[in-house]
Amino acid sequence: NQMNNADNESVDRRTNTKNPLINCPLTKPLATAITIFSLAITTLSTNPQPTQAADYGAFTDEQRFIAEAWRTVDSVYIDRTFNSQNWFQMRQDAIKKKYNNINEAQAEVEKMLSTLGDRYTRYLPPAKYESMVNAATGNLYGVGVELAQSGDRVIASDVEPNSPASRGGLERNDVFVGVDGVKFDDGKATPDDVAVVVRGPEGSKVGVVVERDGKKIDYILTREPIKITSVRSYMGGDKPGVDGKVGVVRIKNFSGTTADTVKEQLEDLKKKGAKNIVLDLRGNPGGLLPGGVDTASLFLETNKPVVFVADKNGVVDAQSTFKDGIDLETPLVILVDGNTASAAEVMTAALQENKRALVAGEQSFGKGIVQTIRQLEEGKNGGVAVTIARYETPEHHNINKQGITVDVKTNVDCEKTDALACLPKEAFRKI
């Protein structure tokens, strides 16, 4: 159960992280988990926020919690109109109310953030916040299944080899109906919601109900430490109509080490005779933005634009390559699907718009914004995920809610171990 998500949000415990421009999930990807929902690009700040109201000390615990949540969002949120509403008045109204317990205050914060009209800016209850932190810091105990959004359902987009899920019999595209008595069949569940319940103490049991071919199947699985293999490669062999053998590098999410791993896998494939390379990004929800930027740079000449990131003040960080990559000539194809998002889209757009790769598959997810995760009350009352920046492609396209248009439309349902089965020879044409 992986966490990138939808929220693929990564967590950074550094202090003094002002306006961090790093991606998320879960992320990630982190030698962690992925909640594949196309997650967010994130960091965690543990800095206490300064108080602003003279009467802060007179607040109840619940009112202080609400004031801190409001202030945290106010300090970094990218939309300074706050969805064209009186954001300060909303704070005043919220802290004037009387709350019987912290649960009522948490519900008030959730309601307040929902008015922003941004699904990625949200309150994270303690269990969800802790789950994200544990996933990003490697303390992950689960069953080894990647989760993705498919319409109003949460499905298994992949199953990690030799994991409890794999050994137990879970399969790709299984639909999650319930976990440990918590139902997820109301059409409102996200991969993040499912992941929080699936994870738990090492060695503990978890009951999973999935739907497959119209039938419900129950599994009892034992949670184990899960190490996600985020990069894999294999020789795809010969493809009729394609000049030379094809090597495939599958990237499941981006972390700070992804570029180095891809470089190693690329060199290995070339030693095995690969004359064409496929980068399989199906189901990749993103992860750390620098991971996507660095991986794209492996294939680009110096001084090529990769991405533009704009913060709440409109300040644009133009990120370009600073040296030639290691491979500027090998024919390159990127395979994407509707769950390819965030940092994965950054890399895809960079290579497509710099005329370095052809993109095949289907329209990508369309997540062009960056999140940070901030704890509340030292994490004991959860935290908030907040959108802090947006990015544009090298040609200044805003792909948020739009996605990347592919050069060659293809089926994307082939096995994750056989990307060539999805690709017609047209995908390997010269750019």
Side-chain angles (χ1 to χ4, degrees):
N1 9 322
Q2 321 208 23
M3 200 163 88
N4 214 357
N5 222 92
D7 290 306
N8 187 243
E9 303 179 1
S10 72
V11 179
D12 182 355
R13 288 187 175 278
R14 294 172 301 176
T15 58
N16 297 321
T17 50
K18 259 192 164 180
N19 219 13
L21 293 177
I22 320 181
N23 275 30
C24 335
L26 311 33
T27 136
K28 194 161 53 73
L30 327 165
T32 75
I34 320 168
T35 313
I36 298 200
F37 174 48
S38 282
L39 251 249
I41 305 175
T42 63
T43 58
L44 171 74
S45 170
T46 58
N47 292 345
Q49 299 288 322
T51 59
Q52 293 180 341
D55 60 346
Y56 190 79
F59 289 169
T60 65
D61 290 344
E62 292 78 14
Q63 290 168 331
R64 274 194 294 272
F65 165 74
I66 290 172
E68 181 182 347
W70 180 93
R71 185 172 57 252
T72 301
V73 175
D74 179 70
S75 66
V76 295
Y77 190 54
I78 188 170
D79 176 12
R80 304 316 293 169
T81 74
F82 296 92
N83 201 23
S84 300
Q85 58 186 345
N86 191 330
W87 178 241
F88 183 75
Q89 186 60 50
M90 190 170 296
R91 171 195 183 274
Q92 297 300 88
D93 293 342
I95 61 176
K96 285 179 181 177
K97 295 180 182 178
K98 301 298 182 182
Y99 302 93
N100 294 317
N101 51 57
I102 194 64
N103 291 334
E104 290 184 1
Q106 290 171 348
E108 183 69 23
V109 169
E110 193 170 327
K111 176 184 174 183
M112 183 168 60
L113 298 188
S114 71
T115 67
L116 296 174
D118 175 4
R119 68 187 301 176
Y120 298 109
T121 296
R122 63 207 186 280
Y123 172 64
L124 304 173
K128 185 174 290 188
Y129 172 81
E130 183 179 2
S131 178
M132 287 184 173
V133 172
N134 287 341
T137 55
N139 302 316
L140 176 66
Y141 304 113
V143 300
V145 59
E146 292 181 5
L147 304 173
Q149 198 84 38
S150 179
D152 60 358
R153 306 178 303 171
V154 176
I155 66 169
S157 61
D158 200 14
V159 178
E160 195 73 12
N162 197 34
S163 64
S166 174
R167 297 193 299 269
L170 261 69
E171 298 180 4
R172 186 168 162 252
N173 293 323
D174 281 350
V175 179
F176 278 75
V177 177
V179 179
D180 271 357
V182 180
K183 294 184 178 180
F184 296 111
D185 57 357
D186 60 357
K188 298 179 181 179
T190 68
D192 195 23
D193 296 329
V194 177
V196 168
V197 185
V198 172
R199 297 191 189 103
E202 180 179 7
S204 60
K205 304 288 186 182
V206 58
V208 176
V209 181
V210 300
E211 182 179 304
R212 184 189 306 156
D213 298 326
K215 297 180 180 178
K216 292 184 179 180
I217 308 172
D218 293 358
Y219 294 97
I220 301 295
L221 306 173
T222 302
R223 297 180 176 102
E224 296 178 0
I226 302 297
K227 181 176 169 118
I228 306 304
T229 306
S230 62
V231 180
R232 293 183 187 145
S233 67
Y234 57 91
M235 287 297 295
D238 297 313
K239 180 80 175 177
V242 178
D243 184 19
K245 293 183 178 180
V246 181
V248 180
V249 180
R250 184 180 172 218
I251 307 173
K252 298 170 73 171
N253 56 6
F254 289 96
S255 71
T257 62
T258 300
D260 288 338
T261 306
V262 170
K263 178 182 177 182
E264 294 172 1
Q265 300 291 332
L266 191 63
E267 292 170 344
D268 182 62
L269 290 172
K270 287 187 174 182
K271 289 178 182 177
K272 294 177 180 177
K275 302 298 182 184
N276 305 272
I277 296 295
V278 172
L279 300 178
D280 186 357
L281 301 184
R282 289 175 296 164
N284 185 321
L288 294 180
L289 179 58
V293 171
D294 292 346
T295 303
S297 299
L298 295 175
F299 303 95
L300 296 173
E301 297 174 343
T302 186
N303 293 324
K304 292 291 185 181
V306 179
V307 66
F308 299 95
V309 183
D311 66 13
K312 66 175 185 176
N313 298 316
V315 177
V316 177
D317 174 21
Q319 301 187 23
S320 301
T321 57
F322 60 89
K323 65 179 181 179
D324 284 345
I326 63 167
D327 188 337
L328 307 179
E329 297 180 355
T330 304
L332 199 60
V333 179
I334 303 175
L335 180 60
V336 301
D337 65 9
N339 286 317
T340 302
S342 202
E345 291 176 298
V346 167
M347 191 197 84
T348 299
L351 296 178
Q352 181 188 48
E353 295 185 2
N354 280 296
K355 305 297 187 290
R356 181 61 186 88
L358 279 173
V359 179
E362 63 184 16
Q363 194 90 357
S364 64
F365 182 84
K367 184 174 184 299
I369 51 179
V370 182
Q371 278 74 46
T372 182
I373 293 178
R374 300 290 180 92
Q375 65 178 5
L376 298 175
E377 298 187 333
E378 299 183 346
K380 71 178 183 180
N381 275 317
V384 288
V386 189
T387 298
I388 61 170
R390 61 176 177 81
Y391 66 73
E392 295 178 354
T393 69
E395 294 181 353
H396 291 284
H397 294 135
N398 181 357
I399 64 167
N400 198 46
K401 299 182 181 179
Q402 303 295 322
I404 296 172
T405 301
V406 299
D407 301 303
V408 180
K409 290 184 179 181
T410 69
N411 169 50
V412 295
D413 293 329
C414 53
E415 290 297 320
K416 295 291 179 72
T417 54
D418 188 14
L420 280 190
C422 282
L423 296 170
K425 64 180 182 181
E426 291 77 17
F428 294 87
R429 70 176 185 261
K430 289 186 179 180
I431 301 176

